[in-house]
Amino acid sequence: DTGVSQDPRHKITKRGQNVTFRCDPISEHNRLYWYRQTLGQGPEFLTYFQNEAQLEKSRLLSDRFSAERPKGSFSTLEIQRTEQGDSAMYLCASSPVLREAFFGQGTRLTVV
Amino acid sequence: AQTVTQSQPEMSVQEAETVTLSCTYDTSESDYYLFWYKQPPSRQMILVIRQEAYKQQNATENRFSVNFQKAAKSFSLKISDSQLGDAAMYFCAYRGGNTPLVFGKGTRLSVIA
């Protein structure tokens, strides 16, 4: 097992474009989390899944953000009509239900 | 809502010395987990140590140990015999029984040779 994998590692996009990120969790982990981290800050919770069910979504999450986890395996995070304020590191993590989360290397998004 | 507070934005320590990073949290739950994560520059977040709230014994992992004070809602990390590779951002995190991780804002640790 190679750990949590995120793709792409870096993404530069123009304002107004849509972007999609992928996360492949550790195979036996049924929980998957998405976080956003800006420079010098702690990770901010966006949403999480248990298997294919999206259990919670941050109130801070704009309607432009959507996440899916079909079949309870990999997950995608889509941002529509990107804005400069969306520039951040997007982190994915996975865990068994009652254990610590393991993080991927993140996708760094730059909106120009 | 649960909150995690790290009051030290930056700390420094001499190589081979000991440093303690502070963390307090706020919760009404009785069953929860606490973690310290390390994030080296431009590298991924890795778990340093975890503590279950129901355990009275403080967790220890090699040079890393915690001082868990449940009544005071305090969870500090002690790093002994500091090494250059310990330089990183350190995040304290809380997770309730059925909730995602909540992170503090982090403490940037510098290790001076």
Side-chain angles (χ1 to χ4, degrees):
Chain A
D1 193 348
T2 57
V4 179
S5 177
Q6 291 189 246
D7 183 71
R9 295 286 309 281
H10 304 274
K11 178 71 176 179
I12 300 174
T13 191
K14 291 184 178 180
R15 189 172 49 188
Q17 297 294 305
N18 298 345
V19 294
T20 300
F21 309 141
R22 176 180 170 123
C23 173
D24 287 273
I26 294 172
S27 58
E28 64 268 26
H29 289 182
N30 50 14
R31 284 201 173 174
L32 185 147
Y33 310 85
W34 284 100
Y35 287 84
R36 177 172 60 193
Q37 186 179 25
T38 53
L39 199 61
Q41 299 295 314
E44 173 192 24
F45 168 72
L46 295 179
T47 188
Y48 86 106
F49 295 83
Q50 182 160 312
N51 301 314
E52 66 274 14
Q54 188 172 18
L55 294 189
E56 189 174 337
K57 191 173 174 181
S58 169
R59 290 171 297 169
L60 302 175
L61 203 59
S62 155
D63 289 344
R64 297 183 297 105
F65 288 70
S66 62
E68 294 183 341
R69 193 183 182 196
K71 303 178 183 178
S73 56
F74 71 92
S75 176
T76 58
L77 177 69
E78 181 183 18
I79 310 174
Q80 296 182 324
R81 304 181 303 283
T82 51
E83 303 171 355
Q84 286 189 321
D86 297 332
S87 295
M89 177 74 84
Y90 289 83
L91 299 172
C92 177
S94 70
S95 75
V97 173
L98 294 177
R99 298 286 301 184
E100 60 271 17
F102 293 83
F103 282 80
Q105 292 183 298
T107 294
R108 182 171 297 283
L109 173 66
T110 303
V111 182
V112 298
Chain B
Q2 293 80 15
T3 58
V4 176
T5 302
Q6 293 179 251
S7 59
Q8 306 153 315
E10 295 184 0
M11 293 281 285
S12 62
V13 61
Q14 293 276 29
E15 201 174 3
E17 297 295 310
T18 295
V19 65
T20 298
L21 308 185
S22 301
C23 173
T24 58
Y25 58 95
D26 187 24
T27 184
S28 58
E29 296 177 299
S30 58
D31 187 20
Y32 52 88
Y33 302 81
L34 296 163
F35 307 89
W36 279 98
Y37 280 87
K38 170 185 177 181
Q39 189 176 41
S42 301
R43 296 184 64 182
Q44 72 190 95
M45 191 93 69
I46 58 174
L47 179 71
V48 174
I49 198 166
R50 77 173 212 158
Q51 174 82 43
E52 292 90 340
Y54 65 86
K55 289 187 177 179
Q56 293 186 336
Q57 187 172 8
N58 289 323
T60 299
E61 288 288 341
N62 301 314
R63 298 182 295 107
F64 299 87
S65 62
V66 299
N67 183 4
F68 174 46
Q69 302 289 328
K70 190 172 184 179
K73 296 180 182 174
S74 170
F75 182 61
S76 61
L77 174 70
K78 185 172 82 172
I79 306 174
S80 304
D81 185 26
S82 296
Q83 300 175 0
L84 295 177
D86 294 334
M89 284 291 290
Y90 285 82
F91 293 98
C92 179
Y94 167 101
R95 196 190 76 206
N98 201 35
T99 59
L101 279 170
V102 175
F103 286 86
K105 291 190 174 182
T107 297
R108 182 177 302 280
L109 178 67
S110 301
V111 181
I112 302 165

